[in-house]
Short mmCIF file of all heavy atoms in Angstrom, two decimals:
data_model
loop_
_atom_site.label_atom_id
_atom_site.label_comp_id
_atom_site.label_asym_id
_atom_site.label_seq_id
_atom_site.Cartn_x
_atom_site.Cartn_y
_atom_site.Cartn_z
N ALA A 551 -3.18 21.38 -5.78
CA ALA A 551 -2.91 20.92 -7.14
C ALA A 551 -4.09 20.06 -7.61
O ALA A 551 -4.67 19.31 -6.84
CB ALA A 551 -1.62 20.11 -7.20
N SER A 552 -4.42 20.21 -8.89
CA SER A 552 -5.45 19.38 -9.53
C SER A 552 -4.77 18.54 -10.60
O SER A 552 -3.91 19.02 -11.33
CB SER A 552 -6.53 20.25 -10.17
OG SER A 552 -7.19 21.00 -9.19
N GLY A 553 -5.19 17.29 -10.67
CA GLY A 553 -4.63 16.38 -11.66
C GLY A 553 -5.71 15.68 -12.44
O GLY A 553 -6.85 15.56 -12.00
N LEU A 554 -5.33 15.20 -13.61
CA LEU A 554 -6.27 14.53 -14.50
C LEU A 554 -5.72 13.15 -14.85
O LEU A 554 -4.86 13.02 -15.71
CB LEU A 554 -6.48 15.36 -15.76
CG LEU A 554 -7.61 14.94 -16.67
CD1 LEU A 554 -8.95 15.05 -15.97
CD2 LEU A 554 -7.62 15.79 -17.92
N PRO A 555 -6.21 12.09 -14.18
CA PRO A 555 -5.79 10.73 -14.55
C PRO A 555 -6.48 10.31 -15.85
O PRO A 555 -7.45 10.94 -16.28
CB PRO A 555 -6.24 9.88 -13.36
CG PRO A 555 -7.31 10.66 -12.70
CD PRO A 555 -7.08 12.10 -13.01
N PRO A 556 -6.04 9.23 -16.48
CA PRO A 556 -6.60 8.82 -17.77
C PRO A 556 -8.03 8.28 -17.71
O PRO A 556 -8.73 8.26 -18.72
CB PRO A 556 -5.64 7.75 -18.27
CG PRO A 556 -4.91 7.29 -17.08
CD PRO A 556 -4.90 8.41 -16.11
N ARG A 557 -8.48 7.81 -16.54
CA ARG A 557 -9.85 7.27 -16.43
C ARG A 557 -10.34 7.41 -15.00
O ARG A 557 -9.61 7.85 -14.12
CB ARG A 557 -9.89 5.82 -16.88
CG ARG A 557 -8.94 4.90 -16.17
CD ARG A 557 -8.84 3.55 -16.88
NE ARG A 557 -7.76 2.77 -16.34
CZ ARG A 557 -7.90 1.80 -15.43
NH1 ARG A 557 -9.10 1.49 -14.99
NH2 ARG A 557 -6.88 1.14 -14.98
N LEU A 558 -11.57 7.02 -14.75
CA LEU A 558 -12.17 7.13 -13.42
C LEU A 558 -11.56 6.13 -12.44
O LEU A 558 -10.99 5.13 -12.84
CB LEU A 558 -13.68 6.86 -13.51
CG LEU A 558 -14.54 7.91 -14.19
CD1 LEU A 558 -15.97 7.40 -14.30
CD2 LEU A 558 -14.51 9.20 -13.41
N GLY A 559 -11.72 6.39 -11.15
CA GLY A 559 -11.39 5.42 -10.13
C GLY A 559 -10.03 5.56 -9.49
O GLY A 559 -9.69 4.80 -8.59
N TYR A 560 -9.22 6.52 -9.92
CA TYR A 560 -7.92 6.71 -9.29
C TYR A 560 -8.13 7.26 -7.89
O TYR A 560 -9.05 8.03 -7.65
CB TYR A 560 -7.05 7.65 -10.12
CG TYR A 560 -6.37 6.95 -11.27
CD1 TYR A 560 -7.09 6.60 -12.41
CD2 TYR A 560 -5.04 6.63 -11.22
CE1 TYR A 560 -6.48 5.95 -13.46
CE2 TYR A 560 -4.41 5.97 -12.27
CZ TYR A 560 -5.14 5.64 -13.39
OH TYR A 560 -4.53 4.99 -14.42
N TRP A 561 -7.26 6.86 -6.94
CA TRP A 561 -7.46 7.21 -5.55
C TRP A 561 -6.11 7.33 -4.85
O TRP A 561 -5.07 7.12 -5.45
CB TRP A 561 -8.32 6.14 -4.87
CG TRP A 561 -7.71 4.77 -4.92
CD1 TRP A 561 -7.58 3.96 -6.01
CD2 TRP A 561 -7.10 4.07 -3.84
NE1 TRP A 561 -6.95 2.80 -5.68
CE2 TRP A 561 -6.63 2.84 -4.34
CE3 TRP A 561 -6.91 4.36 -2.50
CZ2 TRP A 561 -5.98 1.91 -3.55
CZ3 TRP A 561 -6.27 3.43 -1.71
CH2 TRP A 561 -5.82 2.23 -2.24
N ASP A 562 -6.12 7.68 -3.56
CA ASP A 562 -4.93 7.78 -2.72
C ASP A 562 -3.93 8.78 -3.30
O ASP A 562 -2.74 8.49 -3.43
CB ASP A 562 -4.30 6.40 -2.55
CG ASP A 562 -3.26 6.37 -1.43
OD1 ASP A 562 -3.31 7.25 -0.55
OD2 ASP A 562 -2.40 5.47 -1.44
N ALA A 563 -4.41 9.97 -3.60
CA ALA A 563 -3.56 11.00 -4.18
C ALA A 563 -2.78 11.72 -3.10
O ALA A 563 -3.27 11.93 -1.99
CB ALA A 563 -4.40 12.00 -4.96
N GLN A 564 -1.54 12.11 -3.43
CA GLN A 564 -0.69 12.82 -2.49
C GLN A 564 0.41 13.55 -3.24
O GLN A 564 0.90 13.07 -4.26
CB GLN A 564 -0.08 11.83 -1.49
CG GLN A 564 0.76 12.47 -0.43
CD GLN A 564 1.39 11.44 0.50
OE1 GLN A 564 1.33 10.24 0.25
NE2 GLN A 564 2.00 11.91 1.56
N LEU A 565 0.81 14.70 -2.71
CA LEU A 565 1.98 15.39 -3.21
C LEU A 565 3.18 14.87 -2.42
O LEU A 565 3.29 15.09 -1.22
CB LEU A 565 1.85 16.90 -3.03
CG LEU A 565 0.79 17.58 -3.89
CD1 LEU A 565 0.70 19.06 -3.55
CD2 LEU A 565 1.08 17.40 -5.37
N VAL A 566 4.08 14.16 -3.09
CA VAL A 566 5.23 13.54 -2.44
C VAL A 566 6.46 14.40 -2.70
O VAL A 566 6.82 14.64 -3.86
CB VAL A 566 5.45 12.10 -2.98
CG1 VAL A 566 6.66 11.46 -2.33
CG2 VAL A 566 4.21 11.26 -2.77
N PRO A 567 7.13 14.89 -1.65
CA PRO A 567 8.29 15.76 -1.86
C PRO A 567 9.49 14.99 -2.41
O PRO A 567 9.73 13.85 -2.05
CB PRO A 567 8.58 16.30 -0.45
CG PRO A 567 8.00 15.31 0.48
CD PRO A 567 6.83 14.69 -0.23
N GLU A 568 10.22 15.66 -3.28
CA GLU A 568 11.48 15.10 -3.77
C GLU A 568 12.62 15.70 -2.96
O GLU A 568 12.45 16.74 -2.32
CB GLU A 568 11.66 15.44 -5.26
CG GLU A 568 10.85 14.56 -6.16
CD GLU A 568 11.30 14.65 -7.61
OE1 GLU A 568 11.99 15.62 -7.98
OE2 GLU A 568 10.96 13.74 -8.38
N ASN A 569 13.76 15.07 -2.96
CA ASN A 569 14.95 15.54 -2.25
C ASN A 569 14.69 15.71 -0.76
O ASN A 569 15.20 16.64 -0.14
CB ASN A 569 15.48 16.86 -2.83
CG ASN A 569 15.75 16.78 -4.31
OD1 ASN A 569 16.23 15.77 -4.79
ND2 ASN A 569 15.42 17.82 -5.04
N ASP A 570 13.87 14.83 -0.19
CA ASP A 570 13.53 14.88 1.24
C ASP A 570 12.95 16.22 1.65
O ASP A 570 13.15 16.68 2.77
CB ASP A 570 14.75 14.55 2.10
CG ASP A 570 15.23 13.12 1.91
OD1 ASP A 570 14.35 12.24 1.73
OD2 ASP A 570 16.44 12.88 1.96
N GLY A 571 12.24 16.88 0.73
CA GLY A 571 11.59 18.14 1.04
C GLY A 571 12.53 19.34 1.06
O GLY A 571 12.15 20.42 1.49
N GLU A 572 13.75 19.16 0.58
CA GLU A 572 14.73 20.26 0.53
C GLU A 572 14.68 20.91 -0.85
O GLU A 572 14.65 20.23 -1.86
CB GLU A 572 16.15 19.74 0.80
CG GLU A 572 16.33 19.15 2.18
CD GLU A 572 16.18 20.20 3.27
OE1 GLU A 572 16.64 21.34 3.09
OE2 GLU A 572 15.58 19.86 4.31
N PRO A 573 14.70 22.25 -0.88
CA PRO A 573 14.70 22.93 -2.19
C PRO A 573 16.04 22.76 -2.90
O PRO A 573 17.08 22.68 -2.27
CB PRO A 573 14.44 24.39 -1.83
CG PRO A 573 14.87 24.52 -0.41
CD PRO A 573 14.67 23.19 0.23
N GLU A 574 15.97 22.69 -4.21
CA GLU A 574 17.17 22.58 -5.03
C GLU A 574 17.20 23.78 -5.97
O GLU A 574 16.35 23.91 -6.85
CB GLU A 574 17.12 21.27 -5.83
CG GLU A 574 18.48 20.73 -6.16
CD GLU A 574 18.38 19.36 -6.79
OE1 GLU A 574 18.11 19.30 -8.01
OE2 GLU A 574 18.54 18.38 -6.06
N GLY A 575 18.14 24.67 -5.76
CA GLY A 575 18.22 25.89 -6.56
C GLY A 575 17.03 26.80 -6.31
O GLY A 575 16.60 27.50 -7.22
N GLY A 576 16.49 26.78 -5.11
CA GLY A 576 15.35 27.62 -4.77
C GLY A 576 14.01 27.06 -5.21
O GLY A 576 12.98 27.71 -5.04
N VAL A 577 13.99 25.85 -5.78
CA VAL A 577 12.76 25.23 -6.25
C VAL A 577 12.44 24.02 -5.38
O VAL A 577 13.23 23.08 -5.28
CB VAL A 577 12.89 24.79 -7.73
CG1 VAL A 577 11.62 24.13 -8.21
CG2 VAL A 577 13.24 25.98 -8.60
N LEU A 578 11.27 24.05 -4.76
CA LEU A 578 10.78 22.93 -3.96
C LEU A 578 9.90 22.08 -4.88
O LEU A 578 8.92 22.57 -5.44
CB LEU A 578 9.99 23.43 -2.76
CG LEU A 578 9.53 22.40 -1.74
CD1 LEU A 578 10.73 21.66 -1.15
CD2 LEU A 578 8.76 23.08 -0.63
N THR A 579 10.27 20.81 -5.06
CA THR A 579 9.61 19.96 -6.05
C THR A 579 8.79 18.87 -5.38
O THR A 579 9.25 18.21 -4.44
CB THR A 579 10.67 19.31 -6.97
OG1 THR A 579 11.47 20.33 -7.54
CG2 THR A 579 10.01 18.51 -8.08
N TYR A 580 7.57 18.69 -5.88
CA TYR A 580 6.67 17.63 -5.43
C TYR A 580 6.26 16.80 -6.64
O TYR A 580 6.12 17.32 -7.74
CB TYR A 580 5.41 18.20 -4.79
CG TYR A 580 5.65 18.77 -3.41
CD1 TYR A 580 6.00 20.10 -3.24
CD2 TYR A 580 5.52 17.97 -2.29
CE1 TYR A 580 6.22 20.62 -1.97
CE2 TYR A 580 5.73 18.48 -1.02
CZ TYR A 580 6.08 19.80 -0.88
OH TYR A 580 6.31 20.31 0.37
#
Side-chain angles (χ1 to χ4, degrees):
S552 297
L554 191 63
R557 56 192 170 99
L558 290 174
Y560 278 75
W561 60 288
D562 194 22
Q564 183 182 8
L565 292 176
V566 179
E568 282 195 341
N569 305 321
D570 294 324
E572 297 294 321
E574 208 173 82
V577 179
L578 187 59
T579 305
Y580 286 90

